Amino acid sequence: MTNSDNLPATDSVPSTGRVPAARPAAQPAAPPAAANGAVIGLDIGGTKTRGVRFEQGQAVADESVGSSNVQNVSREEAALHLAELFAKIGGGEIAQVYAGAGGIDTDEDAAALAALIAPHVPGAKITVVHDSRLLLAAGGASTGVAVIAGTGSAAWGKNARGEEARAGGWGYLLGDEGSGYWLGREAVRHSLRRMNQGLEPDELTTALLRSCNVDDPNKLIALFHSPETGRRYWAQQARLVVEAADAGHVASQALVEQAGSDLAGLAAQALRKLGIQGPVILGSGLGMNVVRLQDSFKRGLAAEGVTDVRVLEQDPVFGVLQLVAEQE
């Protein structure tokens, strides 16, 4: 399970060290899927669901609602969010819905999400894929490896023979290394280690305590395990690590460096399985916005001999047109 998210943590990553995520006016030069109906592209992350309605290859509506990913919210909440979204961008004749979502690991996962979408688009073709496929297409590549660095993390790729490979994407309990959640959790671990060593709170711990509205590192333990917090809550704290790193905090710099290196490791695993050298496209909230992480990611892949590394310059949902065109 991985959610690209469009990470809450990195939606709010500070401006220092950022590359602004482009939201292009012009869409990729891919033909519309059907002349007689609209195409709806969905990017379903752990925090939000973004929907874009395309008509004749052009985006005519672009809306976001809460998450519709059933690994993050209940089916009832997911259904409500989808109903809200389609009320905004649906209507008229819809030829196809192409949805990318975290946690789509089996045909059953895809079918379950398609069943939630179907009532809103009677007669439309519905395609559900892992959200990393959107990322690769949005980067203008039909082959290569896409790396998600958002609330969660994963790598997915395809070679010219149509073979596919994934690395990571196991979810926050088993992996998600280099993700926003990972950075948030490591900030907590850093603070607790300092507490155990009898050290005063440093810049990162002080920022974390303030953000979490607690006055002692010891209280972070109960808060971390509280049902009132969760992976999205702790992923939001990733911005504190990025801010501290950019301000010169050595331990935070090491954490961001490690995140980039771990993400590069996922990409390298997928590349080896596919027998290709790239391109590698880095996307999602952290990947598109944190220059320090991007640099570490590129260094890690350079050490593997991989030089065709790109940072996504448009939101993944705009990869839908290319994916629809490839179906024809």
Side-chain angles (χ1 to χ4, degrees):
M1 174 190 74
T2 296
N3 297 307
S4 62
D5 239 348
N6 299 324
L7 173 73
T10 51
D11 283 347
S12 54
V13 165
S15 58
T16 307
R18 293 184 65 166
V19 173
R23 193 180 289 254
Q27 307 311 320
N36 297 322
V39 174
I40 303 282
L42 301 179
D43 185 4
I44 302 174
T47 303
K48 67 181 181 182
T49 301
R50 184 173 176 191
V52 177
R53 182 186 183 104
F54 298 97
E55 295 181 1
Q56 300 300 317
Q58 297 296 314
V60 298
D62 186 341
E63 300 286 347
S64 294
V65 297
S67 178
S68 303
N69 190 309
V70 294
Q71 295 184 348
N72 294 87
V73 299
S74 68
R75 287 186 62 83
E76 293 74 18
E77 188 175 352
L80 286 173
H81 288 155
L82 284 170
E84 179 186 358
L85 182 65
F86 278 100
K88 295 178 177 179
I89 65 171
E93 188 171 356
I94 297 173
Q96 180 165 2
V97 176
Y98 205 111
I104 302 301
D105 299 319
T106 66
D107 290 342
E108 290 75 17
D109 294 332
L113 179 54
L116 290 177
I117 295 170
H120 306 289
V121 288
K125 178 181 179 180
I126 301 172
T127 304
V128 177
V129 298
H130 193 273
D131 51 2
S132 52
R133 298 195 185 198
L134 298 185
L135 198 155
L136 186 65
S142 57
T143 63
V145 169
V147 177
I148 287 174
T151 296
S153 66
W156 173 87
K158 182 175 69 172
N159 62 22
R161 296 185 297 277
E163 297 167 334
E164 299 181 11
R166 281 185 55 189
W170 302 340
Y172 72 104
L173 290 177
L174 294 173
D176 276 358
E177 52 268 45
S179 68
Y181 175 84
W182 183 88
L183 280 174
R185 186 195 67 188
E186 291 306 303
V188 174
R189 287 164 55 87
H190 166 84
S191 300
L192 295 176
R193 281 194 295 267
R194 287 185 63 86
M195 178 189 72
N196 285 349
Q197 294 166 0
L199 300 173
E200 290 297 315
D202 61 3
E203 301 98 303
L204 178 57
T205 300
T206 299
L208 183 62
L209 295 177
R210 186 184 306 114
S211 177
C212 295
N213 198 29
V214 296
D215 58 8
D216 189 287
N218 195 50
K219 295 181 180 179
L220 291 170
I221 301 172
L223 184 65
F224 193 87
H225 295 288
S226 169
E228 301 302 314
T229 65
R231 61 191 298 268
R232 287 178 287 170
Y233 179 91
W234 294 107
Q236 288 176 337
Q237 312 313 318
R239 73 187 189 280
L240 306 177
V241 183
V242 176
E243 289 172 344
D246 289 340
H249 185 247
V250 174
S252 294
Q253 290 175 344
L255 287 176
V256 177
E257 177 74 22
Q258 185 63 51
S261 177
D262 288 346
L263 293 166
L266 293 179
Q269 289 175 41
L271 289 168
R272 284 193 291 269
K273 290 179 183 178
L274 295 169
I276 59 177
Q277 283 293 302
V280 176
I281 299 171
L282 177 65
S284 293
L286 281 171
M288 293 173 69
N289 291 293
V290 182
V291 174
R292 187 180 297 274
L293 181 143
Q294 294 167 5
D295 291 343
S296 172
F297 182 75
K298 291 174 182 176
R299 285 193 296 271
L301 285 171
E304 298 279 344
V306 179
T307 57
D308 189 356
V309 181
R310 314 169 191 176
V311 175
L312 192 64
E313 295 182 348
Q314 64 175 352
D315 293 328
V317 71
F318 290 100
V320 162
L321 287 182
Q322 176 167 317
L323 291 168
V324 168
E326 289 175 0
Q327 290 180 331
E328 298 182 339

